[in-house]
Amino acid sequence: MNLQGILIVVSGFSGSGKGTIMKELLKRYDNYALSVSATTRQPREGEADGREYFFKTREEFEKMIAEEELIEYARYVNNYYGTPKAYVEEQLAAGKDVILEIELQGALKIKEKFPEALLLFVTPPSAAELKRRLVNRGTETAEVIEQRMKRAEQEAEGMESYDYYVVNDVLDACVEDVHRIICAEHGRSMRNREFAEQIKSELKGE
C-alpha cells in the first residue's frame, strides 16, 4: 500500500480552534508533520528559526519565489509568508502526513498544484458560537471582533472548495474525527493505483 504521506490543508474561521486541533494531533500521533512557513518578518521573543518559521531576508525570499521553491506565498502588512516546497516534499517522501494551516486563497493555490491534497475546513457549530469564542478570548476590541465576523462571512463563500467540514464542538471528539478522515484517505483507491496494478499483475501470474 501507499507509504507516501498526504498533504493536508487546514483552513477555518479565526476563532474556530484550528490551531488547537493541529497541536493536539501532533501531540497524540507521530505520523503528522506541521509545515513550517518562511517569512520576512522579524522573529518575536522566544521564536526559533526552523521551528516557528524559517526567517528570511526580503532578498532571500524573493530568490525563493524566482526559483519556484515555494508551494504558495502571500504578502501581508509588508512581509512575505510562504510554504517551502523542499521541506514539504521531504516529509511526504518520509511517509509523514504534512499539515499546512493556511487561508482560503493559499489553499486553492495548493489544490491547483497538488490535486491530491486533502482540504479540511474547521468551523464552530454556529455563527453565534464563533462570536462567543472571539469575545471570550478577551484579547480583541469589539471593533476587531466585528471585523473578524465580517471576514468569516466572506470566507464562508469558499467553503464548498474543501473536501470535508470539521465541526469543532467538543475538541477531543473533533481531533479524533480529523485523524479518522486522514486515515480513511490513505485507503482511497486513487491513492493506491500502483498497489492495484501490482495485485492485478500477481493474479495474472506475471
Side-chain angles (χ1 to χ4, degrees):
M1 292 286 276
N2 186 7
L3 297 176
Q4 173 88 357
I6 295 175
L7 185 60
I8 303 146
V9 176
V10 178
S11 308
F13 307 125
S14 175
S16 62
K18 58 188 180 294
T20 310
I21 294 165
M22 299 310 100
K23 284 190 190 110
E24 277 300 309
L25 268 180
L26 291 164
K27 201 191 296 179
R28 293 182 197 186
Y29 304 101
D30 60 7
N31 60 303
Y32 295 113
L34 191 62
S35 172
V36 180
S37 295
T39 184
T40 55
R41 81 156 169 76
Q42 289 300 304
R44 292 182 186 137
E45 196 177 334
E47 289 183 334
D49 185 52
R51 189 181 64 198
E52 280 78 18
Y53 287 96
F54 294 113
F55 293 100
K56 304 287 180 188
T57 63
R58 183 174 293 273
E59 291 74 26
E60 286 171 334
F61 200 103
E62 287 176 349
K63 188 174 177 227
M64 289 176 83
I65 295 170
E67 295 181 0
E68 298 189 348
E69 292 174 11
L70 297 162
I71 295 173
E72 57 80 36
Y73 70 93
R75 202 169 162 181
Y76 298 106
V77 201
N78 296 325
N79 281 308
Y80 285 117
Y81 294 83
T83 304
K85 194 189 290 182
Y87 177 85
V88 169
E89 288 176 347
E90 279 164 24
Q91 297 294 322
L92 291 173
K96 293 270 189 185
D97 292 328
V98 180
I99 300 170
L100 308 182
E101 191 189 316
I102 48 179
E103 41 66 58
L104 177 70
Q105 281 73 23
L108 297 181
K109 281 183 198 168
I110 283 177
K111 194 68 173 176
E112 269 176 38
K113 288 188 183 176
F114 296 85
E116 73 282 4
L118 173 64
L119 271 56
L120 307 178
F121 193 92
V122 180
T123 173
S126 67
E129 174 60 15
L130 178 64
K131 187 162 187 178
R132 189 188 70 79
R133 288 180 192 179
L134 289 170
V135 170
N136 285 356
R137 275 180 178 178
T139 55
E140 285 150 353
T141 62
E143 187 185 356
V144 170
I145 288 166
E146 281 312 309
Q147 283 170 2
R148 291 198 186 279
M149 291 300 291
K150 282 266 186 301
R151 183 162 178 199
E153 188 183 337
Q154 292 161 2
E155 288 169 336
E157 293 300 316
M159 285 174 71
E160 288 83 2
S161 303
Y162 288 75
D163 299 306
Y164 291 90
Y165 300 141
V166 177
V167 179
N168 184 11
D169 192 0
V170 178
L171 178 65
D172 192 55
C174 182
V175 171
E176 292 309 312
D177 281 350
V178 172
H179 181 62
R180 272 195 296 272
I181 288 168
I182 296 164
C183 287
E185 276 294 304
H186 274 280
R188 283 184 69 180
S189 59
M190 71 166 193
R191 299 188 190 278
N192 294 285
R193 290 195 178 117
E194 279 180 30
F195 177 72
E197 290 307 315
Q198 179 196 323
I199 290 285
K200 286 178 195 173
S201 163
E202 288 171 4
L203 288 166
K204 286 175 187 167
E206 292 175 11

